[in-house]
Amino acid sequence: MTRTWRLVVGSDDAGLEYKDLIAGDLQGDPRVTAVVDVGVNGDEHTPYPDIGAAAARIVAEGRADRAVLVCGTGIGMAISANKVAGVRATTAHDSYSTERSVLSNDCQVLTLGQRVIGPELARRLVREWLDYEFDPESPSHAKVERINALESARGEAGGAR
C-alpha cells in the first residue's frame, strides 16, 4: 500500500501562483488525504516568515505530515520553518536535492522558489517528494539524530537564534 500524506501548503504573495497550482495537484493526488492552506490568498500580503512558521507549527504538532511552501526563492520560507523545533525544512530546485532532503535528512518541509524554477518543474518536484520516505534504519538516521541533538542543545542554551 502506498503511504498517504496530510499536507500543509503556504506562500507569500511572491509564491502565490505556484502554491495554488501545487495545492490543486495535491488535492487530486491519491497519496494525499488532506491539504491545509495557510495562505496567502488573493490580495493578502502576509510576510513569508509568518506563513513559514505557521505551516511548520502544524507539522511539528502532528496535525500534518509535511508542508510545501513557496516564496520568491524558497530560502526565506526554509529559514522561517526551520525556526520551529522539530522541523527540518529545505529549499530544493532539482530532483536529486528533493530526494536527498527526505532520504538523507528526513525533511518534512519542502520549499520552492517561484522566481527560480518553472511551474512544471515545481509540480514535478512535489510529486517526486511524495514518493520518498525516510528510513530510520538507514545510515542517515544517526546524522538526523545529531541534528536533533543540536536543536535540543540550542533550546537549552536559550532558544532559537
Side-chain angles (χ1 to χ4, degrees), residues 71-84:
C71 64
T73 63
I75 297 167
M77 285 291 192
I79 292 169
S80 302
N82 277 317
K83 296 298 180 183
V84 176

Side-chain angles (χ1 to χ4, degrees), residues 15-154:
L16 177 59
E17 180 184 333
Y18 283 19
K19 187 262 299 181
D20 287 346
L21 188 65
I22 290 165
D25 289 349
L26 294 173
Q27 290 166 346
D29 191 311
R31 298 170 292 179
V32 177
T33 59
V35 178
V36 174
D37 186 336
V38 294
V40 300
N41 296 297
D43 292 330
E44 293 176 44
H45 298 288
T46 306
Y48 68 78
D50 298 346
I51 299 294
R57 279 190 211 98
I58 292 170
V59 172
E61 293 166 1
R63 294 186 287 140
D65 304 303
R66 292 183 176 178
V68 179
L69 304 173
V70 187
C71 64
T73 63
I75 297 167
M77 285 291 192
I79 292 169
S80 302
N82 277 317
K83 296 298 180 183
V84 176
V87 171
R88 285 172 303 283
T90 193
T91 303
H93 295 130
D94 62 85
S95 291
Y96 185 69
S97 298
T98 300
E99 172 191 345
R100 298 322 307 169
S101 75
V102 175
L103 299 183
S104 294
N105 303 111
D106 195 18
C107 287
Q108 316 100 310
V109 178
L110 177 66
T111 69
L112 304 167
Q114 183 169 312
R115 295 176 179 157
V116 179
I117 61 174
E120 291 310 311
L121 178 56
R123 296 169 80 187
R124 175 184 175 166
L125 295 177
V126 172
R127 285 191 308 268
E128 291 173 358
W129 178 68
L130 291 176
D131 284 334
Y132 301 119
E133 200 169 346
F134 184 71
D135 179 1
E137 301 299 317
S138 74
S140 294
H141 183 260
K143 296 170 192 165
V144 171
E145 287 303 310
R146 290 179 72 96
I147 293 169
N148 293 337
L150 288 170
E151 182 177 67
S152 294
R154 182 180 72 186

Side-chain angles (χ1 to χ4, degrees), residues 1-14:
M1 183 172 134
T2 303
R3 165 80 195 253
T4 59
W5 304 102
R6 298 168 301 147
L7 300 176
V8 179
V9 296
S11 73
D12 63 1
D13 40 324

